[in-house]
Amino acid sequence: MNVVLCDDYQQMSTQAATVFAECLAANPAAVLGLATGSTPIGVYENLIARFKAGEISFAEATSFNLDEYIGLHRDHPQSYYYFMHQQLFNHVDLPSQRIFVPSGVESDYGAYCQWYEDRITEAGGIDLQILGIGSDGHIAFNEPGTALGSRTHITELDHQTIDDNARFFQSKAEVPRRAITMGVATIMDARKIILLATGEHKATAIRDAIAGPVSSECTASALQQHPDVTFYLDSAAASLLPAE
Ligand code: GLP
Protein backbone atom coordinates (compact mmCIF):
# COMPACT_ATOMS: atom_id res chain seq x y z
CA MET A 1 0.00 0.00 0.00
CA ASN A 2 1.57 3.30 -1.11
CA VAL A 3 0.74 6.80 0.12
CA VAL A 4 1.61 9.83 -2.01
CA LEU A 5 1.31 13.20 -0.28
CA CYS A 6 0.26 15.93 -2.68
CA ASP A 7 0.65 19.70 -2.31
CA ASP A 8 -2.91 20.43 -3.37
CA TYR A 9 -5.94 19.24 -5.35
CA GLN A 10 -4.41 20.30 -8.66
CA GLN A 11 -1.21 18.35 -8.13
CA MET A 12 -3.14 15.31 -6.91
CA SER A 13 -5.37 15.43 -10.01
CA THR A 14 -2.40 15.73 -12.36
CA GLN A 15 -0.59 12.81 -10.74
CA ALA A 16 -3.66 10.58 -10.88
CA ALA A 17 -4.29 11.55 -14.51
CA THR A 18 -0.70 10.55 -15.28
CA VAL A 19 -1.43 7.07 -13.93
CA PHE A 20 -4.36 6.84 -16.39
CA ALA A 21 -2.20 8.14 -19.25
CA GLU A 22 0.49 5.56 -18.48
CA CYS A 23 -2.11 2.80 -18.32
CA LEU A 24 -3.51 3.78 -21.74
CA ALA A 25 -0.01 4.12 -23.21
CA ALA A 26 0.87 0.60 -22.04
CA ASN A 27 -2.45 -0.80 -23.23
CA PRO A 28 -4.74 1.36 -25.42
CA ALA A 29 -7.50 -1.26 -24.89
CA ALA A 30 -7.31 -0.90 -21.10
CA VAL A 31 -10.38 -1.46 -18.94
CA LEU A 32 -10.87 1.57 -16.70
CA GLY A 33 -12.86 1.65 -13.47
CA LEU A 34 -14.30 5.11 -12.94
CA ALA A 35 -15.76 6.93 -9.96
CA THR A 36 -18.10 9.83 -9.34
CA GLY A 37 -18.16 12.39 -6.52
CA SER A 38 -16.41 15.76 -6.56
CA THR A 39 -12.93 14.34 -5.92
CA PRO A 40 -12.17 12.86 -9.39
CA ILE A 41 -13.46 15.88 -11.35
CA GLY A 42 -9.95 17.37 -11.57
CA VAL A 43 -8.58 14.08 -12.91
CA TYR A 44 -11.24 14.02 -15.61
CA GLU A 45 -10.49 17.66 -16.54
CA ASN A 46 -6.84 16.76 -16.84
CA LEU A 47 -7.61 13.70 -18.98
CA ILE A 48 -9.82 15.80 -21.29
CA ALA A 49 -6.96 18.30 -21.70
CA ARG A 50 -4.51 15.51 -22.53
CA PHE A 51 -6.99 14.03 -25.02
CA LYS A 52 -7.51 17.42 -26.72
CA ALA A 53 -3.73 17.86 -26.89
CA GLY A 54 -3.52 14.52 -28.71
CA GLU A 55 -1.55 12.89 -25.91
CA ILE A 56 -4.05 10.14 -25.06
CA SER A 57 -6.96 8.33 -26.67
CA PHE A 58 -9.75 6.23 -25.22
CA ALA A 59 -10.81 4.87 -28.62
CA GLU A 60 -9.96 1.27 -27.76
CA ALA A 61 -10.66 1.47 -24.02
CA THR A 62 -13.64 0.25 -22.00
CA SER A 63 -14.99 1.81 -18.79
CA PHE A 64 -17.03 0.56 -15.87
CA ASN A 65 -18.46 2.92 -13.30
CA LEU A 66 -18.71 1.95 -9.67
CA ASP A 67 -22.26 2.85 -8.79
CA GLU A 68 -25.57 4.62 -9.43
CA TYR A 69 -28.54 5.85 -7.43
CA ILE A 70 -31.63 3.65 -7.59
CA GLY A 71 -34.59 5.47 -9.07
CA LEU A 72 -32.70 8.08 -11.07
CA HIS A 73 -33.02 7.79 -14.82
CA ARG A 74 -29.84 8.34 -16.81
CA ASP A 75 -31.00 11.80 -17.93
CA HIS A 76 -31.52 12.99 -14.33
CA PRO A 77 -28.88 15.68 -13.66
CA GLN A 78 -27.85 13.98 -10.40
CA SER A 79 -27.56 10.51 -11.89
CA TYR A 80 -24.01 9.23 -12.10
CA TYR A 81 -24.61 8.38 -15.76
CA TYR A 82 -25.33 12.05 -16.44
CA PHE A 83 -22.40 13.18 -14.27
CA MET A 84 -19.91 10.99 -16.14
CA HIS A 85 -21.09 12.24 -19.51
CA GLN A 86 -20.83 15.86 -18.39
CA GLN A 87 -17.47 15.43 -16.70
CA LEU A 88 -15.71 13.07 -19.14
CA PHE A 89 -17.50 10.97 -21.73
CA ASN A 90 -18.91 13.83 -23.82
CA HIS A 91 -15.41 15.25 -24.24
CA VAL A 92 -13.30 12.22 -25.16
CA ASP A 93 -13.38 9.41 -27.74
CA LEU A 94 -14.46 6.52 -25.51
CA PRO A 95 -17.00 4.59 -27.66
CA SER A 96 -20.48 4.65 -26.14
CA GLN A 97 -20.90 0.88 -26.57
CA ARG A 98 -17.94 0.35 -24.25
CA ILE A 99 -19.17 2.72 -21.52
CA PHE A 100 -20.80 0.86 -18.64
CA VAL A 101 -22.57 2.71 -15.82
CA PRO A 102 -24.88 0.62 -13.63
CA SER A 103 -28.54 1.33 -14.31
CA GLY A 104 -30.69 2.84 -11.57
CA VAL A 105 -34.00 1.83 -13.14
CA GLU A 106 -33.99 -1.96 -13.54
CA SER A 107 -36.90 -4.21 -12.56
CA ASP A 108 -34.86 -7.35 -11.80
CA TYR A 109 -31.77 -6.37 -9.87
CA GLY A 110 -30.78 -9.93 -9.04
CA ALA A 111 -30.23 -10.59 -12.73
CA TYR A 112 -28.91 -7.12 -13.50
CA CYS A 113 -26.17 -7.17 -10.83
CA GLN A 114 -24.93 -10.51 -12.18
CA TRP A 115 -25.09 -9.10 -15.72
CA TYR A 116 -22.86 -6.19 -14.67
CA GLU A 117 -20.34 -8.54 -13.03
CA ASP A 118 -20.35 -10.70 -16.16
CA ARG A 119 -19.63 -7.68 -18.39
CA ILE A 120 -16.55 -6.84 -16.27
CA THR A 121 -15.36 -10.45 -16.47
CA GLU A 122 -16.00 -10.59 -20.22
CA ALA A 123 -13.96 -7.41 -20.71
CA GLY A 124 -11.04 -9.13 -18.98
CA GLY A 125 -11.34 -7.40 -15.59
CA ILE A 126 -10.50 -3.85 -14.59
CA ASP A 127 -6.92 -2.73 -15.20
CA LEU A 128 -7.04 0.58 -13.31
CA GLN A 129 -9.68 1.61 -10.79
CA ILE A 130 -9.97 5.14 -9.40
CA LEU A 131 -11.74 5.60 -6.07
CA GLY A 132 -12.84 8.42 -3.83
CA ILE A 133 -13.79 7.74 -0.22
CA GLY A 134 -16.91 8.60 1.76
CA SER A 135 -16.51 10.36 5.09
CA ASP A 136 -17.70 7.09 6.69
CA GLY A 137 -14.93 5.17 4.92
CA HIS A 138 -17.05 3.77 2.11
CA ILE A 139 -15.70 3.00 -1.35
CA ALA A 140 -18.24 3.15 -4.20
CA PHE A 141 -21.44 2.78 -2.12
CA ASN A 142 -20.14 0.00 0.12
CA GLU A 143 -21.36 1.43 3.39
CA PRO A 144 -20.11 0.38 6.84
CA GLY A 145 -21.21 -3.20 7.53
CA THR A 146 -20.97 -4.31 3.89
CA ALA A 147 -19.27 -7.71 3.56
CA LEU A 148 -15.74 -7.42 2.23
CA GLY A 149 -16.54 -10.36 -0.05
CA SER A 150 -19.50 -8.53 -1.62
CA ARG A 151 -20.03 -8.24 -5.35
CA THR A 152 -22.32 -5.88 -7.30
CA HIS A 153 -25.46 -5.41 -5.21
CA ILE A 154 -28.19 -3.05 -4.07
CA THR A 155 -27.54 -1.13 -0.88
CA GLU A 156 -29.27 1.23 1.52
CA LEU A 157 -27.39 4.51 1.92
CA ASP A 158 -26.25 5.54 5.39
CA HIS A 159 -27.53 8.73 7.04
CA GLN A 160 -24.02 10.15 6.80
CA THR A 161 -23.88 9.53 3.04
CA ILE A 162 -27.33 11.01 2.50
CA ASP A 163 -26.25 14.10 4.46
CA ASP A 164 -22.96 14.36 2.54
CA ASN A 165 -24.61 14.00 -0.86
CA ALA A 166 -27.57 16.30 -0.11
CA ARG A 167 -25.46 19.22 -1.34
CA PHE A 168 -25.97 18.02 -4.92
CA PHE A 169 -29.78 17.93 -4.62
CA GLN A 170 -32.42 20.63 -4.00
CA SER A 171 -33.15 19.10 -0.61
CA LYS A 172 -32.11 16.15 1.55
CA ALA A 173 -35.51 14.55 0.90
CA GLU A 174 -34.59 14.22 -2.79
CA VAL A 175 -31.46 12.14 -2.16
CA PRO A 176 -32.22 8.53 -3.20
CA ARG A 177 -32.09 6.09 -0.29
CA ARG A 178 -30.75 3.16 -2.27
CA ALA A 179 -28.00 2.57 -4.79
CA ILE A 180 -26.50 -0.14 -6.98
CA THR A 181 -22.79 -0.56 -6.36
CA MET A 182 -19.89 -2.75 -7.28
CA GLY A 183 -19.06 -4.79 -4.19
CA VAL A 184 -15.82 -4.60 -2.24
CA ALA A 185 -14.63 -7.84 -3.81
CA THR A 186 -15.49 -6.52 -7.29
CA ILE A 187 -13.27 -3.50 -6.62
CA MET A 188 -10.50 -5.64 -5.11
CA ASP A 189 -10.31 -7.62 -8.38
CA ALA A 190 -8.98 -4.54 -10.19
CA ARG A 191 -5.32 -5.00 -11.06
CA LYS A 192 -4.33 -1.49 -9.94
CA ILE A 193 -6.22 0.89 -7.65
CA ILE A 194 -5.73 4.57 -6.87
CA LEU A 195 -7.72 6.31 -4.15
CA LEU A 196 -7.88 10.09 -3.92
CA ALA A 197 -8.88 12.21 -0.94
CA THR A 198 -8.53 15.83 0.07
CA GLY A 199 -9.70 17.80 3.08
CA GLU A 200 -9.99 17.44 6.80
CA HIS A 201 -13.45 15.86 6.51
CA LYS A 202 -11.78 12.77 4.99
CA ALA A 203 -9.01 12.49 7.61
CA THR A 204 -10.79 10.00 9.90
CA ALA A 205 -11.83 7.78 7.00
CA ILE A 206 -8.28 7.84 5.61
CA ARG A 207 -6.79 6.97 9.01
CA ASP A 208 -9.21 4.04 9.41
CA ALA A 209 -8.61 2.88 5.82
CA ILE A 210 -4.82 2.88 6.02
CA ALA A 211 -3.99 2.39 9.69
CA GLY A 212 -7.10 0.76 11.15
CA PRO A 213 -8.00 -2.91 11.23
CA VAL A 214 -9.29 -4.49 8.03
CA SER A 215 -12.99 -4.36 8.81
CA SER A 216 -16.33 -4.01 7.08
CA GLU A 217 -16.89 -1.00 9.37
CA CYS A 218 -14.55 0.89 7.01
CA THR A 219 -14.81 -0.82 3.64
CA ALA A 220 -11.81 1.12 2.29
CA SER A 221 -9.66 -0.79 4.83
CA ALA A 222 -9.99 -3.86 2.56
CA LEU A 223 -7.53 -2.09 0.26
CA GLN A 224 -4.76 -2.92 2.75
CA GLN A 225 -4.94 -6.45 1.32
CA HIS A 226 -4.62 -5.35 -2.32
CA PRO A 227 -1.22 -5.85 -3.99
CA ASP A 228 -1.19 -2.56 -5.95
CA VAL A 229 -2.98 0.35 -4.33
CA THR A 230 -1.84 3.96 -3.97
CA PHE A 231 -3.52 6.67 -1.91
CA TYR A 232 -3.09 10.24 -3.21
CA LEU A 233 -3.76 12.61 -0.32
CA ASP A 234 -3.40 16.24 0.57
CA SER A 235 -1.99 17.10 4.00
CA ALA A 236 -5.44 17.66 5.52
CA ALA A 237 -6.71 14.21 4.47
CA ALA A 238 -3.45 12.67 5.74
CA SER A 239 -3.43 14.65 9.00
CA LEU A 240 -4.58 11.81 11.26
CA LEU A 241 -2.23 9.16 9.88
CA PRO A 242 0.18 7.89 12.53
CA ALA A 243 3.77 9.06 12.08
CA GLU A 244 5.89 6.28 10.60
C1 GLP B 1 -20.24 9.00 -3.20
C2 GLP B 1 -19.71 7.99 -4.21
C3 GLP B 1 -18.32 7.54 -3.86
C4 GLP B 1 -17.45 8.75 -3.57
C5 GLP B 1 -18.01 9.53 -2.41
C6 GLP B 1 -17.16 10.72 -2.02
O1 GLP B 1 -20.76 8.40 -2.07
N1 GLP B 1 -20.56 6.84 -4.32
O2 GLP B 1 -17.80 6.79 -4.94
O3 GLP B 1 -16.13 8.34 -3.30
O4 GLP B 1 -19.29 9.98 -2.81
O5 GLP B 1 -17.53 11.85 -2.76
P1 GLP B 1 -16.70 13.18 -2.85
O6 GLP B 1 -15.54 12.89 -3.74
O7 GLP B 1 -17.64 14.17 -3.46
O8 GLP B 1 -16.29 13.52 -1.47
Side-chain angles (χ1 to χ4, degrees):
M1 193 176 216
N2 308 303
V3 176
V4 175
L5 271 184
C6 305
D7 294 339
D8 54 26
Y9 181 75
Q10 192 80 22
Q11 198 209 20
M12 179 187 76
S13 302
T14 304
Q15 291 203 42
T18 299
V19 179
F20 273 93
E22 287 169 354
C23 175
L24 287 166
N27 176 14
V31 179
L32 307 175
L34 302 178
T36 53
S38 44
T39 306
I41 290 176
V43 179
Y44 299 150
E45 284 173 355
N46 194 290
L47 289 175
I48 292 166
R50 290 179 199 229
F51 166 71
K52 289 193 169 155
E55 293 168 22
I56 57 171
S57 167
F58 299 83
E60 295 176 46
T62 299
S63 73
F64 288 92
N65 261 83
L66 289 168
D67 48 13
E68 179 61 283
Y69 291 115
I70 296 294
L72 297 195
H73 195 264
R74 49 170 58 180
D75 56 14
H76 190 290
Q78 295 311 329
S79 76
Y80 286 169
Y81 182 94
Y82 189 94
F83 172 98
M84 287 305 304
H85 282 75
Q86 294 290 312
Q87 301 297 335
L88 183 64
F89 299 148
N90 289 348
H91 312 285
V92 297
D93 60 346
L94 186 57
S96 57
Q97 71 273 16
R98 289 206 301 277
I99 290 174
F100 294 88
V101 180
S103 164
V105 291
E106 294 302 311
S107 51
D108 179 357
Y109 269 109
Y112 185 78
C113 290
Q114 187 56 50
W115 179 87
Y116 201 71
E117 288 278 332
D118 291 345
R119 296 289 74 69
I120 297 172
T121 305
E122 189 181 69
I126 292 170
D127 292 303
L128 172 61
Q129 175 69 59
I130 184 172
L131 298 173
I133 188 167
S135 60
D136 60 4
H138 71 236
I139 47 175
F141 269 134
N142 291 291
E143 297 284 29
T146 306
L148 301 185
S150 56
R151 309 221 58 106
T152 301
H153 64 283
I154 302 299
T155 185
E156 302 279 331
L157 301 185
D158 268 22
H159 293 299
Q160 179 69 53
T161 302
I162 292 167
D163 285 350
D164 287 349
N165 292 357
R167 69 188 192 279
F168 299 113
F169 292 83
Q170 304 272 6
S171 70
K172 189 172 151 181
E174 280 184 32
V175 184
R177 268 38 185 176
R178 294 194 307 152
I180 174 170
T181 181
M182 279 188 206
V184 180
T186 318
I187 294 168
M188 290 288 283
D189 281 347
R191 286 183 268 280
K192 183 180 187 71
I193 298 178
I194 57 175
L195 186 149
L196 279 56
T198 57
E200 215 180 320
H201 62 300
K202 299 290 176 71
T204 304
I206 289 296
R207 179 198 63 199
D208 293 350
I210 295 176
V214 175
S215 157
S216 64
E217 288 314 302
C218 171
T219 54
S221 67
L223 299 172
Q224 292 176 29
Q225 297 179 328
H226 191 280
D228 186 357
V229 57
T230 303
F231 283 68
Y232 292 83
L233 309 172
D234 72 354
S235 56
S239 59
L240 296 180
L241 286 178
E244 290 198 30

